[in-house]
Amino acid sequence: MISVRSLFSAWAFAVGFALQALAASEIRIVDGGQPRQFEIETGVVASSDSTNAPDIFLFEANKARTAFNRRRMTSDILVELNAGADPKKVGETVSVESLRLINAERRWYIFQVKEPALVLSVVEKLRAHADIASAEPILAKRKVRKFVPSDPLLPTEWHLNNTGANGALAGVDLHVTNTWAQYRGKGVVIAIIDDGLDTSHPDLAPHIDPALGYDWNDGDTDPTAHPAKGDFHGTECAGAAAAVGDNSAGVAGVAFEATIAGLRLISGDTTDETEAAAMLFKNQQIDIKNNSWGPDDDGMTLEAPGPLTLAALEESVRTGRGGKGTIFVFPGGNGLDTGDNANYDGYANSIYTIAVGAVSDQGFQTDYSEPGACLVVTVPGGSFGRPSIVTTDLQGPEGVNRIGEPDDLADLDYTSGFTGTSASVALTSGAIALMLNANPNLGWRDVQEILLRSATKVDPHDPDWDMNSAGLSFNHKFGAGLLNVDNAVALALIWSNLPPQTNLSSIQNNLNVAIPDNDPSGVTREFDFRSSSIRLEQVTLTANI
């Protein structure tokens, strides 16, 4: 029902009643070069001057409603006349107030009616007129100011905006700069589970929350990195994910207004107990846990989390974030040259984690990124002979960027040498923070599926691309494709959360079946779930051989 404020004169009431029928249906309008279906906003917004007509707003059907995709109806109509038609006579038949020629060659005129509320009915009449080739309302729309942070190293962060310089493929980046106009990670907490942080780094310290830090290596609440122990990795991850942006210093992280929590775990040996403790730590306050580590990538290690850590992951996705689930991001691994596979890594192939591969600035699988059925998406990570990721480093000469280091940055507090799926994981954590900034109600499975559905195909000529039964493109080298922040955030804004997870299992044991050597046919076992009505998202197979 259209509501009209009493301050309008009598004609405004007629406007309101005229809009009621229109508001109940979708309207087709060519906008931005594309035919789109619009809905009238249920309400008439009064202008400050009560003598003027009310504003009428439209939104594209089935899309999120924001200030930047709202259209305002004007009193103008773009009309294309057929050859030989008289614009004045046409205008008189539909009570046009005025008209003006815009393009004589195209026979384009702008017809102006008395008030915006009359436009749609006039357009309908014009479209039915024999002398009219087309008639489209002229809509007004707010444009997005392209936000460019003031960080001086931003032009070197190709993973944020790849322009195709130096042989790169333009567009192989996170597609994040448009999203920054509205979402920068504010209110979202990213924990860096690693070897500690340079907690006094000027590009990190303002966003580090000391109350959310812990050190399992020293058993205290200070996650500060120890340079003497080579603790530089966590500082690199933190900068890639959430270095402070627009502060005229250094770099900008993907989610440069997010809060950072330092959890120092891998500066020394870990146990199943300490890993589980890190996974469970403050999961009501921490949204995303960045884990740029895992088993050895030697091609021979088959390793899964211990029972405590497995239980911790399951509990975290069930109870974390008020029941929406903590988000865990892990690397697919850097063992491509040793024949390793992400499937051999039980952290990466857990259904409770998001496994990430790496792509070069040219859009190819990097020289280290492992393939695997468990990969969700692929993300920039740098490759041999190609640019790596620019990020924060330990301050001074104690980090990876030391005085005299060839091909690194002049500012020793930063490095251009961060590479590997570790870097890709950190960038993914920042991207997810922007998704949660846009829609804090997303569950852990929602985040995974949005990443899958919003990714874009990379290296499209690679022969491993296939279409799965859900209609999603998939490649064991790239997962669903290149992470696209703009797409992911847009989808997050209109996403309806998935129903609760259902688990079904089937066991076959005591098989006593021999596995033949050098036989491509192998052994086939079938598990039949056809009698169950389920929405299939994940399959986990445990085999004892």
Side-chain angles (χ1 to χ4, degrees), residues 121-407:
S121 61
V122 171
V123 165
E124 188 176 357
K125 294 176 182 177
L126 288 170
R127 287 175 174 173
H129 199 289
D131 289 334
I132 301 299
S134 66
E136 297 292 342
I138 295 180
L139 307 179
K141 180 182 178 182
R142 181 180 174 187
K143 296 298 183 183
V144 178
R145 293 182 177 89
K146 299 299 183 183
F147 181 82
V148 180
S150 61
D151 309 85
L153 291 175
L154 186 67
T156 68
E157 296 183 82
W158 63 268
H159 56 280
L160 302 177
N161 184 24
N162 187 344
T163 61
N166 301 315
L169 180 61
V172 179
D173 56 48
L174 291 176
H175 288 78
V176 69
T177 53
N178 288 336
T179 295
W180 280 345
Q182 293 177 270
Y183 305 107
R184 304 165 194 175
K186 193 173 185 63
V188 181
V189 180
I190 304 172
I192 307 297
I193 303 180
D194 214 280
D195 61 8
L197 305 177
D198 184 341
T199 53
S200 65
H201 196 295
D203 234 359
L204 298 176
H207 287 171
I208 294 175
D209 187 342
L212 298 178
Y214 196 79
D215 181 348
W216 281 273
N217 298 126
D218 291 342
D220 57 39
T221 59
D222 182 5
T224 299
H226 295 193
K229 294 186 177 182
D231 295 347
F232 59 84
H233 192 255
T235 297
E236 292 180 310
C237 292
V244 181
D246 201 31
N247 61 345
S248 301
V251 297
V254 177
F256 60 77
E257 290 184 358
T259 298
I260 302 169
L263 303 183
R264 187 167 179 257
L265 176 70
I266 63 168
S267 183
D269 293 342
T270 69
T271 68
D272 188 23
E273 183 180 8
T274 57
E275 290 181 18
M279 300 304 141
L280 291 169
F281 187 76
K282 292 190 181 295
N283 281 344
Q284 299 312 315
Q285 292 82 35
I286 295 172
D287 301 292
I288 303 159
K289 288 190 170 175
N290 184 99
N291 300 272
S292 293
W293 51 270
D296 193 355
D297 295 326
D298 60 1
M300 298 180 288
T301 300
L302 187 68
E303 183 178 329
L308 296 177
T309 304
L310 283 172
L313 289 170
E314 183 175 0
E315 180 180 342
S316 298
V317 299
R318 182 169 48 84
T319 64
R321 297 174 56 235
K324 295 185 288 289
T326 308
I327 313 299
F328 294 96
V329 191
F330 275 87
N334 302 331
L336 180 63
D337 61 338
T338 63
D340 211 343
N341 190 290
N343 294 312
Y344 304 162
D345 179 342
Y347 298 83
N349 73 20
S350 168
I351 67 171
Y352 306 122
T353 68
I354 295 171
V356 178
V359 66
S360 73
D361 66 332
Q362 295 179 318
F364 301 122
Q365 179 188 22
T366 65
D367 55 312
Y368 52 81
S369 183
E370 299 172 21
C374 60
L375 294 183
V376 176
V377 286
T378 191
V379 180
S383 197
F384 180 75
R386 301 302 308 167
S388 296
I389 305 302
V390 178
T391 186
T392 48
D393 191 14
L394 298 181
Q395 296 175 81
E398 296 181 312
V400 294
N401 185 6
R402 297 177 173 86
I403 295 175
E405 189 74 22
D407 302 322

Side-chain angles (χ1 to χ4, degrees), residues 488-509:
V489 168
L491 187 54
L493 286 168
I494 61 171
W495 187 260
S496 296
N497 280 30
L498 297 170
Q501 186 186 48
T502 299
N503 293 299
L504 299 175
S505 63
S506 179
I507 299 174
Q508 297 182 17
N509 51 23

